[in-house]
Amino acid sequence: MTGSRISRANFDTVEPSVVISGDQIESRGFETLGQALNELPAFGVPGSSPVGAQSSFGPGQSFVNFLGLGSERTLTLVNGRRFVGSNTASIFGPTGQGGNQVDLNVIPTKLIDRVETIVIGGAPIYGSDAIAGTVNVVLKRDYEGLEIDGQYGISDRGDAANYRFRGLAGKNFLDGRANITISGEYNKGEGLLQTARPRLYDGGFFGRPNDPDSPFDNVIFRDRRIPTISEFGIPTIFDFIPVSQGQANNLGFPQGGFVDAQGNALRFDATGNLIPIDFGTSFGPLDENGDPTSFSVDASGGNGFSLVPLSNLLTETERYSGNLLLSFDLTDKIRLFGEGWYSRSRGVNLRDQPEYNSYLFGYAGDPAGAIIMSTDNPFLTPQARAIIQAQADGDTFLLQRANTDVISGRSTGNVEIQRYVLGLDGKFTGLGGREWSFEIVGNYGRSKTTGKVPAIATQNFFNAVDAVDEGLFNGGAANGNIICRPGAVNSPAETVSSTCAPLNLFGMQTSQAARDYITAITRPVSVNKQKIFTASLAGPLFALPGGDLSFAIGYEHRAESQDFDPGAFLAGGDDPDPLTDADGDGDPTNDRVAFGQSVVIQPLNGKYNTDEIFGELRAGLVSPSNNVPLIYSLELQGAARYVDHSTAGGDLTWTLGGSWQPIRDVTLRGNYTRAIRAPFITEAFNPSSSFFGFAEDPCDQFNQDEGPAPATRAANCAAAGIPANFDATSDDASILQAVVGNPNLRNEKSNAFTIGAVLRPSFIPRLSLSVDYVDIKVKDVITQLASDDIVENCYDSADFPNSPFCDLFTRDATNQLDFISTGYFNAAELRYKGILAALDFRTGTPFLGEDSNIGLNASYQYLDTLTSRADANSAIETDNGEVGYSRHQAVGTIDYNNKGFSTFLQVNYTGPAKFDADATPTAQNPNGVGSFVYFNTGMTYRIDKSFSIRFVVDNLFDRKPPFPSPTGGGTLTYFPGVLGRYFRVGASVGF
């Protein structure tokens, strides 16, 4: 039983629990366990899933997030034992944070008997990481037979196809003393881009209103474009981004770019000729001519650069796995058992943002800055050459470009898992002639994640851009043979080809030979290893009036290691002058030279081990046979575990709970738990790693009156000398950032309690209704604060400028953010309060068929509080009520069964939500979304227990996400509405 090592007759627990049977998973047609769990109201936005933007280091993995407290605080077990995690040991991994998250994609659904979830109480039983709760996957045992099935799924738009084939075979032999069970599974899912849902992903975004009298700081615009960047290239005269003539006049900016006779800024078209830039409608107040009065790189409409075609909506996945379960009764009382696991999964991020060359990302000549081009470049068309040579300041010009035709952003990640379990369990006669049980088990797991991501090798890129006409270069007449300028030295990075081929960046005319020459394939590798030895003993000590005083004791040794190798390209080369900054840009973190636009990524190696002693007691004080008034039954239980962690030191986790039945029909239950989470390897050992990213500046004129403490923020921004009308650029142009691990992190500690009731009225057989209140307070929270959080916690602090966060970023002479140092901290507090309810009822319906029955199952969460605080002086940040964490969430299913036929109808409800729970009512319009309700249905027909067919429809009525989502967020939360009506059909044959 999950949450205890003491065996008992049923699954009654003192904590809220939910059990999902393997049959329920099968009837819904879920391809992965993650899909099944994420449908439950108690699970928040997953730490990683195949939906949406993906990390290139392991795309498509599924990490669940119990109670919204973070995937790293959800402990996943298989048969009550830990499973090796697949989270990459890098800030660039699937979660961007540390943790030992288990990829639920690798657990074969065919082998699942049931899934048990327990809120909070599992920490003393299983150790670190169970602060929110425990998910225990219980596999089929002693299976006998052969079953093969297949399933096909597709949306009614004809996309997102999914194919699955599975097999399960088991055999008892040696007169039933031994069993061998083998399972295999293959699953392939097609991916999607946002362009597959154009009515939802139309480039909608929030921006400052054009109407200066608007009461709102932000309103919705459609068709987001970036006119200052083009995938065909924009030439500029000097190192600046092009602006419209109206912008130049209003804002005092130089126009920056080349213009036509009418003064229109120009860009290249696909064929390499220059055409006017259509700047669309800028957001922010406009003058009488419709020109912006404030600066922004974004616009609505026009012919600027759109991110929609480059945005991943669903990752392409492919998985296959094989599992072997062995069991052999050495004697009538002792069993030898083993498990062998092998799984290999592949995720493909279809598109992502390209590598840019723009003033927004660096200075001219820098790897990501504008490209310095010759006005004699032989790839220039006569029309473009005439304009450029007439207006250029000298014999060079600059090119701003989004290199979508060079690097598409397509990346592949492979995750390979091996896991082996070997153990002995059994029973013997203990004290007083009572039966005791023991288990001795060893567990080894290895997860290897390998990435394959194309990147531009900067030196080869510059070589290929520096193209010349061979005849002119040799002092003769032009002959039209365009070559790379001779004498160039190739990049130290290994590229697809080492032969320089000239690169035409004017329009969309790059050659494959040039792409091969400038493209390197990065191959990051992360290896996680887990070794566990556990020995436990359990049984009854003596009889009490209401039952036994039972115990469990044990010892566990666990060793975890992670080894992340970014590969030769991402690790960069040796600094030629180690006494100075490697790249000369003032970056205080790099001590190596990058081969591409990406910052140098450091390798990470770390390990730790724990020695843990645990014990558990359960006392049956009163039973129905005692005939005690108002005490039908009374039971107490407690558990404790001492964890000696090699880096975090020693700590104690414990729990105490009980249940009381005043009458047979009503059970009152409660539990208090002190849990811990030790710092994981990425959090403790990550080397200083720099990257470029965006940041929302709280001192921007439209943000100064926002946040959890608007008056404090505005006063602190003013005290820092930032004017009230300040326009920040850090949300439009990326800035240098860095993150570093913290070896001095302390264990997280949570104090949590639940109190609830279970109603099983005797006058309504087979009805069970439970309602529980859950309160969790986590202190010393290990967290990697985002760049936004760092800056906000400085200006929202009552201790400004002495807040420790104020020393973690810098501003330039114009008050713009230019560097932010993030990292891992023991933050002050994380809080959850909520109500969890569950209903289960089944009754026979002979009037609908002699052997028929109807069942009703429902689960509900009321989320009262989900907040965090960075330190004692920081404002409290609120997540409850936001998209992904609606206050009210529920799922209910009614099913009908009659011999070989079964059908169900399920309703999923997600309540209204805001985009930012801490924002003022005037921050944006609309400021949230309404409720979202959708239905699923399906049916299964079985013939002679050997053949069955299944048909399932998700989102039966094709409900769309609540307006205006996905504008403003919600792709993950409302993905069934994004995907639309989805069909699954399957067939199974058994022997």
Side-chain angles (χ1 to χ4, degrees), residues 74-116:
T74 302
L75 177 62
T76 300
L77 311 171
V78 175
N79 285 339
R81 290 179 280 274
R82 287 178 179 262
F83 200 93
V84 63
S86 298
N87 191 20
T88 300
S90 168
I91 62 170
F92 303 99
T95 66
Q97 298 181 354
N100 196 23
Q101 294 89 334
V102 174
D103 181 9
L104 297 183
N105 292 342
V106 307
I107 298 176
T109 54
K110 193 70 174 176
L111 203 54
I112 295 175
D113 178 70
R114 66 187 184 275
V115 182
E116 304 170 349

Side-chain angles (χ1 to χ4, degrees), residues 130-286:
I131 280 181
T134 304
V135 175
N136 184 23
V137 183
V138 181
L139 304 180
K140 290 182 171 71
R141 179 170 169 175
D142 294 337
Y143 176 82
E144 189 165 26
L146 171 64
E147 189 172 350
I148 301 171
D149 73 16
Q151 179 175 286
Y152 174 71
I154 194 166
S155 80
D156 69 354
R157 276 77 164 171
D159 55 21
N162 192 284
Y163 313 81
R164 185 180 70 184
F165 302 96
R166 302 179 302 175
L168 177 64
K171 176 66 176 175
N172 292 322
F173 52 96
L174 296 179
D175 297 325
R177 293 174 56 198
N179 177 270
I180 180 171
T181 300
I182 301 173
S183 74
E185 184 167 328
Y186 174 80
N187 178 228
K188 183 175 183 179
E190 294 180 355
L192 294 177
L193 295 175
Q194 287 187 2
T195 49
R197 298 293 182 270
R199 292 186 179 181
L200 295 174
Y201 295 94
D202 60 356
F205 69 105
F206 280 96
R208 298 163 193 164
N210 296 143
D211 180 4
D213 297 323
S214 172
F216 301 104
D217 293 341
N218 293 278
V219 296
I220 289 180
F221 289 83
R222 295 297 172 190
D223 192 18
R224 180 192 180 195
R225 300 280 178 156
I226 309 173
T228 56
I229 300 178
S230 170
E231 57 193 326
F232 306 128
I234 301 178
T236 59
I237 299 171
F238 49 86
D239 202 12
F240 192 64
I241 54 175
V243 294
S244 68
Q245 197 168 31
Q247 284 178 306
N249 293 337
N250 275 347
L251 305 177
F253 290 162
Q255 197 162 358
F258 293 86
V259 297
D260 62 13
Q262 289 73 41
N264 298 310
L266 300 174
R267 70 166 177 85
F268 289 100
D269 65 12
T271 64
N273 286 318
L274 290 172
I275 61 172
I277 299 174
D278 181 351
F279 284 87
T281 301
S282 295
F283 61 84
L286 305 178

Side-chain angles (χ1 to χ4, degrees), residues 509-526:
Q509 304 181 85
T510 58
S511 68
Q512 186 60 50
R515 281 194 291 268
D516 290 345
Y517 174 66
I518 67 177
T519 300
I521 306 299
T522 70
R523 301 183 187 277
V525 177
S526 181

Side-chain angles (χ1 to χ4, degrees), residues 395-434:
D395 56 4
T396 61
F397 67 99
L398 304 180
L399 185 68
Q400 323 266 343
R401 198 172 191 273
N403 299 305
T404 59
D405 55 341
V406 179
I407 298 296
S408 69
R410 184 181 178 94
S411 59
T412 302
N414 291 290
V415 181
E416 181 186 61
I417 289 181
Q418 299 180 55
R419 182 175 182 262
Y420 306 97
V421 177
L422 182 64
L424 279 174
D425 63 15
K427 298 177 181 179
F428 64 96
T429 302
L431 292 177
R434 294 169 175 268

Side-chain angles (χ1 to χ4, degrees), residues 83-90 99-101 443-449 525-532 557-565 604-610 645-647 679-682 685:
F83 200 93
V84 63
S86 298
N87 191 20
T88 300
S90 168
N100 196 23
Q101 294 89 334
N443 179 355
Y444 172 80
R446 180 180 185 270
S447 174
K448 181 179 180 181
T449 302
V525 177
S526 181
V527 177
N528 302 351
K529 294 181 181 179
Q530 181 185 75
K531 301 175 184 177
I532 304 174
H557 176 81
R558 178 162 59 99
E560 304 267 3
S561 67
Q562 285 190 310
D563 184 350
F564 172 68
D565 180 4
L604 184 152
N605 296 278
K607 61 183 180 180
Y608 67 84
N609 63 78
T610 68
H645 194 284
S646 60
T647 60
F680 206 65
I681 291 166
T682 309
F685 302 116

Side-chain angles (χ1 to χ4, degrees), residues 334-386:
I334 299 176
R335 180 178 71 110
L336 175 70
F337 62 90
E339 300 175 17
W341 295 68
Y342 182 81
S343 173
R344 187 174 182 86
S345 59
R346 176 177 176 264
V348 180
N349 198 42
L350 300 179
R351 291 298 299 265
D352 203 346
Q353 293 195 40
E355 295 191 17
Y356 295 98
N357 287 100
S358 169
Y359 176 77
L360 295 174
F361 301 99
Y363 295 112
D366 287 348
I371 308 163
I372 302 172
M373 307 289 291
S374 169
T375 57
D376 287 328
N377 189 289
F379 285 121
L380 285 169
T381 66
Q383 181 253 13
R385 178 178 287 106

